[in-house]
């Protein structure tokens, strides 16, 4: 019935098909997550070129009415409460419930802004037409990469964006169009997945092992001519995997054969390691970007990240930024610079790094003592493959523990695992939580 309704389109141009399908979505004839006809089938039925239908579908995706589902085709985009996109959740625990699902840093390990705000010297108000960034803050960000990074290309003065995802979105928008293909790690951070699906790109997941992305899998995915690769060099979310220097070298050799590929590196955990994080960017690469957020270190509410890359990409991003938000608040920039320069903030950073490492090890060790093979790694989360994650997550919720099941991190493959945010879990409670997980598993057992 629905398929016949789509075939009732009066016009034969891409705009006609777009308007017709939009009306069917908006009046409820096409329901949420309902599959649209394959491009080839609809083109044959309407007696039009495949490119005409593809263009109509791209417009639907760009309008947020449809989403690309990889090999499953195109479907009507789900519409959740308050207009939140699929994959974005608000983690509000019931009284007495331990919230281990959000991936947030420990609030006790974030700096108190009040003294630094009070100490900021008086400055003239920021006005239209002035430079968008504090030069001293840009220089601080560039020096961060120079002392703690392995990017092979020249590192330019970074731009400032409203967090890592804002920077990633701006880079992708500078080069990509709806329908383009982007490679991501699988499992993948849900925020990145929600963003990319909202942008209307086609996603291909590249699997990981304990050393990082698999080079052979990356090479196979690159054969499908993607436009971009988004990856996390250190403390991958959700698995915690750190890409080893040897694996990074192997992956770099693979991507070097594709100089047209846009590389985006999301180094979200750089603040908590003193080692230089790996990079896939070789000298001379034309299109690349790297982002480092201050959210895990100074707090998500600061809404600031450094974005560096090749000069063409940075120019495109800044031009588009200037006709939109123009600049991140100078009040926030000045506050960030004061925090970054404060010895107390550095001491807190070191304490946070030690606490996060201790809590990650405490939980993974407690799970392994019960025969549960959590993924080795670092970061704010522990990744635990299981045979039936949904059942265990529900059972844990009944016991007062809120965790996240693996389906939220899926690109194309079925994933069964728990992501447990351990950042604020005291080490002395790790054994208690591991025991609860083991009890909830019962006879289900862990996945191989």
């Amino acid at each position: 019935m629905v398929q016949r309704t789509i075939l009732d389109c009066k016009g034969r141009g891409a705009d006609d098909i777009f308007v017709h399908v939009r009306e069917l979505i908006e009046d409820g004839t096409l329901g949420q997550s309902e599959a649209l006809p394959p491009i080839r089938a609809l083109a044959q039925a309407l007696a039009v070129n495949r490119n005409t239908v593809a263009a109509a579908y791209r417009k639907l995706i760009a309008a947020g009415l449809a989403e690309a589902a990889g090999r499953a085709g195109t479907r009507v985009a789900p519409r959740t409460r308050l207009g939140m996109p699929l994959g974005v959740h608000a983690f509000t625990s019931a009284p007495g419930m331990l919230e281990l699902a959000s991936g947030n840093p420990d609030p006790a390990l974030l700096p108190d802004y009040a003294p630094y705000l009070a100490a900021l010297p008086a400055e003239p108000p920021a006005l239209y037409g002035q430079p968008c960034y504090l030069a001293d803050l840009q220089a601080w960000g560039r020096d961060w990469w120079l002392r703690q990074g392995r990017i092979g290309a020249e590192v330019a003065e970074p731009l400032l964006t409203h967090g890592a995802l804002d920077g990633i979105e701006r880079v992708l928008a500078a080069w990509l169009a709806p329908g383009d293909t982007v490679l991501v790690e699988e499992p993948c951070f849900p925020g990145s997945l929600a963003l990319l699906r909202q942008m209307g790109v086609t996603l291909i997941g590249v699997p990981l092992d304990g050393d990082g992305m698999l080079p052979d899998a990356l090479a196979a995915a690159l054969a499908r001519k993607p436009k971009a690769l988004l990856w996390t060099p250190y403390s991958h979310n959700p698995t915690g995997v750190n890409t080893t220097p040897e694996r990074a070298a192997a992956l770099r050799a693979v991507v070097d054969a594709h100089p047209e590929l846009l590389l985006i590196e999301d180094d979200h955990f750089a603040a908590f390691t003193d080692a230089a994080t790996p990079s896939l960017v070789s000298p001379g690469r034309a299109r690349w970007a790297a982002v480092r957020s201050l959210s895990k270190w100074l707090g998500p509410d600061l809404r600031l990240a450094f974005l560096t890359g090749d000069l063409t990409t940075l120019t495109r991003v800044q031009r588009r930024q200037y006709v939109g938000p123009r600049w991140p608040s100078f009040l926030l920039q000045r506050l960030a610079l004061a925090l970054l320069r404060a010895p107390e903030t550095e001491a807190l950073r070191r304490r946070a790094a030690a606490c996060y490492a201790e809590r990650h090890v405490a939980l993974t060790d407690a799970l392994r003592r019960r025969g549960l093979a959590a993924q080795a790694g670092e970061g704010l989360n522990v990744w635990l493959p299981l045979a039936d994650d949904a059942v265990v997550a529900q059972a844990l919720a009944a016991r007062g523990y809120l965790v996240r099941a693996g389906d939220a991190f899926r690109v194309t493959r079925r994933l069964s695992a728990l992501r447990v945010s351990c950042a604020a879990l005291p080490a002395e409670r790790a054994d208690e939580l591991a025991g609860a997980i083991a009890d909830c598993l019962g006879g289900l057992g862990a996945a191989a």
Side-chain angles (χ1 to χ4, degrees):
M1 174 65 181
V2 169
Q3 305 297 322
R4 288 200 302 272
T5 305
I6 293 178
L7 298 181
D8 288 339
C9 180
K10 304 303 181 187
R12 291 297 181 266
D15 287 344
D16 300 316
I17 299 169
F18 165 75
V19 169
H20 180 64
V21 178
R22 180 178 66 182
E23 290 173 350
L24 295 177
I25 293 172
E26 291 178 344
D27 69 15
T29 302
L30 287 173
Q32 297 185 46
S33 301
E34 189 159 355
L36 297 178
I39 290 174
R40 183 189 298 273
L42 185 56
Q44 289 177 344
L46 295 177
V48 300
N49 189 283
R50 289 178 59 194
N51 292 335
T52 301
V53 177
Y57 279 13
R58 284 197 296 271
K59 290 191 67 174
L60 290 165
I61 291 168
L65 297 168
E67 62 182 16
R71 299 188 182 210
T74 307
R75 62 189 179 192
V76 178
R79 298 189 180 185
T80 56
R81 288 186 303 164
L82 303 178
M84 298 292 284
L86 186 69
V88 176
H89 300 275
F91 294 97
T92 52
S93 300
M97 179 172 276
L98 187 60
E99 193 276 288
L100 302 168
S102 66
N104 273 310
D106 184 350
L109 296 173
L110 298 176
D112 179 7
Y113 299 160
Y116 299 93
L117 283 169
L120 289 179
E123 294 279 354
L127 299 174
Y128 300 121
Q130 69 182 69
C132 295
Y133 317 115
L134 285 179
D136 286 350
L137 185 56
Q138 285 182 282
W140 196 99
R142 182 172 181 270
D143 288 345
W144 189 9
W145 265 293
L146 292 178
R147 70 177 181 267
Q148 192 186 327
R150 292 195 176 97
I151 294 173
E154 182 179 353
V155 176
E157 293 287 343
L159 310 183
L160 288 159
T161 63
H162 297 284
L165 284 178
D166 178 55
I168 291 167
E169 179 178 21
R170 292 182 181 282
V171 171
L172 291 169
W175 289 111
L176 271 62
D180 285 342
T181 299
V182 176
L183 306 185
V184 296
E185 296 138 322
E186 185 161 30
C188 185
F189 171 53
S192 297
L193 289 176
L195 167 65
L196 292 163
R197 286 168 175 154
Q198 193 78 6
M199 294 183 72
V201 301
T202 299
L203 296 177
I204 298 176
V206 181
L208 305 156
D209 65 10
D211 293 331
M213 283 189 299
L214 299 174
D216 288 347
L218 177 60
L222 286 168
R224 295 172 64 178
K225 304 298 182 183
K227 296 292 186 181
L229 165 63
L230 171 61
W231 80 295
T232 307
Y234 190 82
S235 186
H236 171 255
N237 187 351
T239 65
V241 166
N242 297 325
T243 301
T244 64
E246 296 77 15
R247 178 60 57 82
L251 294 170
R252 191 161 49 248
V254 172
V255 299
D256 279 350
H258 299 267
E260 74 290 346
L261 183 73
L262 170 64
L263 283 180
I264 305 176
E265 301 184 342
D266 180 8
D267 195 2
H268 72 108
F269 209 65
F272 301 114
T273 175
D274 292 326
T277 50
S279 174
L280 304 187
V281 179
S282 296
R285 175 162 287 277
R287 298 180 185 179
W288 67 275
V291 62
R292 282 184 173 177
S293 171
L294 295 173
S295 295
K296 306 295 190 301
W297 181 5
L298 303 184
D301 196 37
L302 202 62
R303 309 310 306 142
L304 282 177
F306 295 108
L307 174 70
T308 192
D310 68 272
L311 290 179
T312 302
T313 296
L314 294 185
T315 298
R316 289 188 174 197
V317 169
Q318 188 173 19
R319 284 177 177 171
R320 180 63 186 89
Q321 187 184 48
Y322 190 75
V323 297
R326 300 204 178 198
W327 65 82
S329 164
F330 274 95
L331 181 61
L332 295 179
Q333 291 188 52
R334 292 169 62 207
L335 172 60
L337 186 59
L339 288 165
L340 292 170
R341 287 174 167 174
E344 300 86 1
T345 308
E346 172 60 16
L348 185 60
R349 180 194 72 83
R350 292 187 176 278
R351 180 183 160 211
C355 284
Y356 293 146
E358 177 190 18
R359 292 167 185 177
H360 196 283
V361 169
L363 182 54
T364 54
D365 284 354
L367 289 166
R368 285 173 185 152
R369 287 195 295 271
R370 288 165 174 79
L372 301 175
Q375 174 65 56
E378 297 185 56
L380 305 183
N381 307 288
V382 168
W383 182 251
L384 177 63
L386 296 173
D388 195 333
D389 58 345
V391 170
V392 177
Q394 292 170 4
L396 284 170
R399 287 174 173 241
Y401 303 97
L402 183 63
V403 300
R404 202 154 190 192
D407 201 50
F409 308 89
R410 175 174 65 89
V411 183
T412 53
R413 298 182 298 122
R414 170 78 174 93
L415 293 172
S416 185
L418 297 182
R419 191 197 72 173
V420 183
S421 296
C422 59
L425 179 69
E428 58 269 20
R429 295 196 65 179
D431 200 64
E432 165 202 326
L433 175 61
I437 293 173
D439 288 346
C440 290
L441 271 168
L444 293 172

